[in-house]
C-alpha cells in the first residue's frame, strides 16, 4: 500500500527540521534564513509499524509581493495532488498570517486529509497561543516542537489514522505489478514498446518525455501481469520544473505500489550514482528488483565484458548483491523476454515461505558452526528461527541476548538464508528477538 505524507506551509515555519526528525536524517538543510529549502526532499518514516514516504515541499523565497502565488501556491498544489495526507505546519510565534490563510483555503478545497501542526510550542505557556489556529477551519490542531520532538507522537498517531481512512482505493491487486524505473532517457518506454509489440508510448531522445506513470496489462507467453512505465528519477538538484516534480512523485508512488521493479541502466554510461539511489529506494521499500543493462548492442564487447560490467554493478550495490543482472537491448529485442521470465521468478521468490523445521535445521547448524561473538564475557545463544507472517520475507531468530548481536552477524545469517533458499532479487529482513 502506498502512503505519502507531504509537509506544506509557508517559509521558515520549521518544515525541514520536522522532515529531518520524521526521517531520522539530516537530508534537509536547516537554517534560520527563510527559503533555504530549494530542492524537494524525499524520505521514509515509520510509526507504530506503519512505513510511509515523507516529502518536504519547501520552495524558493523571493522578496516580491507575489511570493505566495509564484512559489508556495505551486508547491502546495503539486503536493496535495499526489499526497494521501497533508501535514500543514504553522508557526505559533507569528500566529495566523495571510500566507497561512491562503494555504488553508487551498487545503480546504482539496478534500484531502489535513493534519494541522503548530510548531515551536516549546513550553506549556505557548499552548494557549496555539488555539488561534482553530480559526483556519481545518479541524484539530497538534502542538509540537520539531526541534525537541515534543508532541510529535500524538501528531503521528493522527497521521497514521488518516492514512487508514484514505486507504480504501489502495486495495491489494490480484495481478503482479512490475514497474520499469531508472534515470531519464535510459530506454524505459522503448523496452515496454518492445514487450507489447507496438508503439504504445512516445519515445524521443529528449530526457523526460514520459511525465506520468502508465499502467498496461500484459498477457502473453504464459505471463499475466500489469507493467508500469514511469518518469525518469533524476537527482533532486536537477528537478527544476513543477511538472517534473510531479513526475518524480508519481515514480516514488509507483515503486511503493509495485511488486517487482525492473531497474534499467544505460550500458554506455554504466551504473551511476543516481542508479544506485533508485536501487536503494527500491530496497528500502522491500520490492523485488531486477537490473537490466540496456543498450548492450552499442557496446564493443570481448569475452570478459559481461563479467566485468556485472562485477562493477555488484560492487556498487553491495551489500545486497543477490540480484539478477541481465544485458538487454530494447532496440534489437535482445534478451527482453528473458528479462520478463526472471522478473516473474523474482515475484515468486518474494512470496516464498520456508517451513519452520527446515529453517531451524539449516540455520541452527550455521549458528553452531559460527556462533555470535561473545560480548563482555557473555555468550549469545540462538535457540529458534521462524519466518514472520509478513508480506515480504522476514525472519526472526530468538536469542538470550539479542541486543548484543551486531550487523556483521546479521549479514552472515542473511547470506546463509540466501545460500540455502531462493530469495534472489528480493530484500529480506533478519530480526533478533528475546527468546
Amino acid at each position: 500500500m502506498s502512503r505519502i505524507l507531504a509537509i506544506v506551509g509557508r517559509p521558515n515555519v520549521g518544515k525541514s527540521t520536522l522532515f529531518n526528525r520524521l526521517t531520522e536524517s539530516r537530508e534537509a538543510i536547516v537554517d534560520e534564513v527563510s527559503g533555504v529549502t530549494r530542492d524537494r526532499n524525499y524520505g521514509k518514516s515509520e510509526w507504530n509499524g506503519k512505513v510511509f514516504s515523507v516529502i518536504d515541499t519547501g520552495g524558493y523565497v523571493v522578496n516580491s509581493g507575489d511570493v505566495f502565488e509564484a512559489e508556495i501556491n505551486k508547491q502546495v498544489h503539486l503536493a496535495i495532488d499526489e499526497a494521501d495526507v497533508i501535514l500543514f505546519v504553522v508557526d505559533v510565534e507569528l500566529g495566523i498570517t495571510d500566507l497561512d490563510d491562503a494555504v488553508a483555503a487551498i487545503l480546504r478545497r482539496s478534500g484531502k486529509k489535513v493534519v494541522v501542526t503548530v510548531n515551536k510550542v516549546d513550553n506549556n505557556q505557548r499552548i494557549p497561543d496555539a488555539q488561534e489556529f482553530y480559526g483556519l477551519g481545518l479541524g484539530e490542531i497538534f502542538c509540537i516542537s520539531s526541534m525537541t520532538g515534543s508532541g510529535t507522537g500524538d501528531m503521528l498517531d493522527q497521521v497514521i489514522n488518516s492514512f487508514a481512512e484514505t486507504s480504501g482505493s489502495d486495495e491489494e491487486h490480484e495481478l503482479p505489478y512490475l514497474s520499469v524505473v531508472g534515470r531519464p532517457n535510459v530506454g524505459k518506454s522503448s523496452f515496454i514498446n518492445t514487450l507489447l509489440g507496438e508503439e504504445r508510448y512516445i519515445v524521443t531522445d529528449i530526457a523526460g518525455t514520459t511525465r506520468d506513470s502508465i499502467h498496461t496489462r500484459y498477457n502473453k507467453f504464459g505471463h499475466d501481469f500489469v507493467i508500469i512505465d514511469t518518469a525518469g528519477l533524476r537527482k533532486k538538484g536537477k528537478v527544476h520544473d513543477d511538472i517534473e516534480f510531479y513526475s518524480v512523485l508519481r515514480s516514488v508512488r509507483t515503486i511503493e505500489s509495485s511488486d517487482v521493479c525492473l531497474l534499467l541502466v544505460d550500458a554506455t554510461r554504466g551504473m551511476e550514482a543516481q542508479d544506485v539511489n533508485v536501487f536503494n529506494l527500491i530496497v528500502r521499500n522491500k520490492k523485488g528488483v531486477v537490473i537490466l543493462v540496456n543498450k548492450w548492442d552499442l557496446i564493443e564487447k570481448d569475452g570478459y565484458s559481461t563479467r566485468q560490467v556485472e562485477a562493477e554493478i555488484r560492487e556498487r550495490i553491495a551489500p545486497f548483491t543477490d540480484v539478477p543482472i541481465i544485458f538487454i537491448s530494447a532496440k534489437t529485442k535482445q534478451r527482453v523476454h528473458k528479462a520478463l521470465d526472471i522478473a516473474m521468478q523474482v515475484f515468486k521468490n518474494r512470496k516464498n515461505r520456508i517451513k519452520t523445521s527446515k529453517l531451524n535445521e539449516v540455520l541452527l547448524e550455521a549458528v553452531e558452526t559460527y556462533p555470535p561473538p561473545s560480548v563482555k564475557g557473555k555468550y549469545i545463544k540462538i535457540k529458534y528461527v521462524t519466518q514472520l507472517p509478513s508480506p515480504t520475507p522476514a525472519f526472526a531468530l530468538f536469542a538470550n541476548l539479542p541486543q548484543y548481536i551486531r550487523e556483521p552477524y546479521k549479514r552472515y545469517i542473511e547470506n546463509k538464508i540466501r545460500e540455502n533458499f531462493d530469495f534472489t532479487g528480493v530484500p529480506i529482513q533478519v530480526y533478533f528477538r528475546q527468546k
Side-chain angles (χ1 to χ4, degrees):
M1 182 185 296
S2 175
R3 300 184 184 94
I4 295 181
L5 175 71
I7 303 176
V8 304
R10 61 178 177 77
N12 211 27
V13 292
K15 298 188 298 297
S16 294
T17 304
L18 183 56
F19 172 87
N20 287 343
R21 178 164 293 281
L22 294 183
T23 58
E24 297 181 351
S25 70
R26 290 190 173 183
E27 289 187 13
I29 300 170
V30 177
D31 198 280
E32 291 182 2
V33 179
S34 65
V36 168
T37 303
R38 299 195 172 209
D39 298 327
R40 291 81 176 187
N41 289 300
Y42 314 93
K44 301 295 290 186
S45 184
E46 182 176 353
W47 185 252
N48 287 345
K50 304 292 184 183
V51 179
F52 53 93
S53 290
V54 185
I55 299 173
D56 179 14
T57 59
Y60 301 104
V61 172
V62 293
N63 296 318
S64 66
D66 64 348
V67 56
F68 166 72
E69 190 169 2
E71 303 298 337
I72 305 296
N73 195 15
K74 289 188 291 187
Q75 291 290 320
V76 173
H77 274 296
L78 289 167
I80 65 178
D81 196 26
E82 271 304 303
D84 300 296
V85 177
I86 310 294
L87 202 61
F88 181 23
V89 184
V90 291
D91 184 345
V92 72
E93 293 178 347
L94 295 180
I96 297 177
T97 67
D98 291 342
L99 283 179
D100 291 328
D101 277 329
V103 176
I106 295 170
L107 294 176
R108 282 195 296 270
R109 290 194 297 269
S110 73
K112 292 289 180 81
K113 288 285 182 181
V114 179
V115 178
V116 180
T117 303
V118 185
N119 193 23
K120 305 182 185 179
V121 183
D122 302 315
N123 53 61
N124 291 335
Q125 284 72 35
R126 288 188 168 182
I127 292 178
D129 298 334
Q131 308 310 304
E132 172 188 357
F133 291 95
Y134 278 108
L136 294 171
L138 291 170
E140 188 176 359
I141 65 169
F142 292 86
C143 299
I144 72 155
S145 168
S146 57
M147 188 69 71
T148 65
S150 67
T152 53
D154 291 338
M155 177 199 74
L156 285 171
D157 286 341
Q158 181 60 38
V159 167
I160 295 302
N161 291 337
S162 298
F163 279 133
E165 292 174 26
T166 60
S167 64
S169 61
D170 262 338
E171 297 174 1
E172 287 292 318
H173 38 256
E174 295 180 5
L175 294 175
Y177 269 42
L178 274 59
S179 61
V180 182
V181 299
R183 288 186 285 105
N185 212 24
V186 77
K188 298 184 293 295
S189 296
S190 298
F191 174 77
I192 296 184
N193 284 342
T194 299
L195 279 182
L196 300 176
E198 57 182 291
E199 297 298 316
R200 179 71 63 89
Y201 303 138
I202 299 171
V203 177
T204 73
D205 291 332
I206 302 169
T209 300
T210 303
R211 294 289 198 180
D212 214 335
S213 299
I214 307 169
H215 296 59
T216 306
R217 175 83 174 266
Y218 183 93
N219 192 354
K220 295 180 182 177
F221 307 108
H223 295 308
D224 190 9
F225 55 83
V226 174
I227 192 159
I228 312 168
D229 187 15
T230 64
L233 282 163
R234 66 176 73 198
K235 291 180 182 178
K236 292 191 288 288
K238 294 185 178 179
V239 180
H240 295 301
D241 66 66
D242 297 309
I243 298 176
E244 195 164 324
F245 172 45
Y246 178 84
S247 300
V248 172
L249 270 174
R250 296 302 298 264
S251 296
V252 171
R253 178 182 286 278
T254 299
I255 289 173
E256 291 189 346
S257 57
S258 300
D259 297 303
V260 178
C261 297
L262 304 175
L263 173 58
L264 262 68
V265 176
D266 190 331
T268 63
R269 299 175 62 176
M271 189 86 171
E272 296 184 332
Q274 186 58 9
D275 298 312
V276 177
N277 289 340
V278 179
F279 177 83
N280 291 334
L281 182 62
I282 295 168
V283 174
R284 283 202 303 270
N285 281 281
K286 303 172 188 172
K287 307 301 179 183
V289 58
V290 180
I291 295 176
L292 306 181
V293 184
N294 192 26
K295 306 182 184 179
W296 192 238
D297 55 309
L298 303 179
I299 301 297
E300 292 185 13
K301 295 176 278 291
D302 57 33
Y304 301 99
S305 299
T306 303
R307 277 179 287 178
Q308 182 179 348
V309 173
E310 184 175 327
E312 290 172 357
I313 291 174
R314 295 197 190 283
E315 184 178 350
R316 295 298 303 274
I317 64 175
F320 176 33
T321 58
D322 187 16
V323 176
I325 300 174
I326 306 168
F327 296 83
I328 70 164
S329 168
K331 188 175 181 180
T332 66
K333 303 183 180 180
Q334 180 184 21
R335 299 189 192 90
V336 165
H337 290 285
K338 179 184 178 183
L340 275 194
D341 295 337
I342 298 294
M344 293 308 294
Q345 183 58 48
V346 170
F347 174 75
K348 292 176 183 175
N349 293 349
R350 197 164 176 260
K351 304 287 185 184
N352 204 2
R353 299 286 307 174
I354 310 299
K355 288 184 178 180
T356 302
S357 57
K358 186 66 177 173
L359 260 181
N360 281 273
E361 179 186 330
V362 169
L363 292 185
L364 292 184
E365 182 180 338
V367 168
E368 189 175 339
T369 303
Y370 174 46
S374 60
V375 178
K376 300 176 182 177
K378 298 177 180 178
Y379 291 93
I380 302 166
K381 297 178 182 178
I382 296 173
K383 295 291 186 182
Y384 182 71
V385 189
T386 187
Q387 184 172 357
L388 299 174
S390 54
T392 56
F395 301 87
L397 288 81
F398 293 88
N400 60 333
L401 299 167
Q403 67 272 26
Y404 292 133
I405 299 177
R406 301 290 178 251
E407 192 64 30
Y409 196 78
K410 184 183 289 188
R411 285 201 294 270
Y412 167 73
I413 293 296
E414 179 179 337
N415 290 337
K416 286 298 177 183
I417 292 172
R418 293 188 182 279
E419 283 175 19
N420 290 276
F421 310 104
D422 192 359
F423 287 103
T424 299
V426 182
I428 63 177
Q429 279 68 51
V430 176
Y431 303 99
F432 292 92
R433 293 181 174 174
Q434 188 75 36
K435 69 178 182 180

